[in-house]
Each structure stands twice: as C-alpha cells, then as structure tokens.
Amino acid sequence: PATGTTGRGHHQVQEQLMDRKSYEVHVTRDGKWWALSFPQLGPDAVTQAQNRKDIVTEARDYLAVRSDIHPDSFDLEIVEDFL
C-alpha cells in the first residue's frame, strides 16, 4: 500500500478504535457557568466551563489530567441535564 502499512496494521488500528474508552459528561447550567460531572468517575469528578463552546475542551482536559491519558484517546458522550 502507498502508506507502507500492511493489512495487519490496519486490523490493529480497528481493534484500538473498538477498545476506545467512552466517558459520559453530564452538563448543567449553573449561573454564568456550565457544571460538568463524570458519573463513571464518582461524585467528586466535577469541573466547569465558562462558555458552552468550551465544554468539550474542558471535559477532555479534566479527564486527561485525572486519568493520565491523552485528551484525544477517548470519546465523550455529552448529556445535558435540565433542572
């Protein structure tokens, strides 16, 4: 192949994608901020984002630091909680 990879390498990449961890992020408006919680990590797993557009970045940064993983190595499922 043009990329120099073999079929076996392609299979390994597919396996890695299938094993990719996914985290639920519950998002709630809290005054001027957005509260982010991560139920899979327990009740103390919380952070915040100032703007709606920053939710994904803040969630990825929090999970990466807390779990010592690369911020692009997992998927997020954003769940908006309305109070």
Side-chain angles (χ1 to χ4, degrees), residues 5-71:
T5 61
T6 64
R8 180 163 158 53
H10 178 69
H11 182 68
Q12 288 172 341
V13 169
Q14 284 180 329
E15 285 177 358
Q16 289 172 350
L17 290 175
M18 291 176 66
D19 292 337
R20 194 171 162 101
K21 182 114 173 124
S22 181
Y23 292 93
E24 235 179 59
V25 183
H26 287 243
V27 179
T28 308
R29 187 73 174 166
D30 186 15
K32 294 183 178 182
W33 294 81
W34 291 90
L36 285 59
S37 63
F38 306 84
Q40 291 158 285
L41 301 179
D44 294 334
V46 294
T47 191
Q48 61 188 9
Q50 188 169 7
N51 300 301
R52 186 181 185 93
K53 67 179 176 60
D54 298 328
I55 290 171
V56 170
T57 301
E58 293 296 333
R60 285 195 176 282
D61 288 350
Y62 176 84
L63 286 164
V65 170
R66 177 166 173 141
S67 303
D68 194 27
I69 54 178
H70 192 276

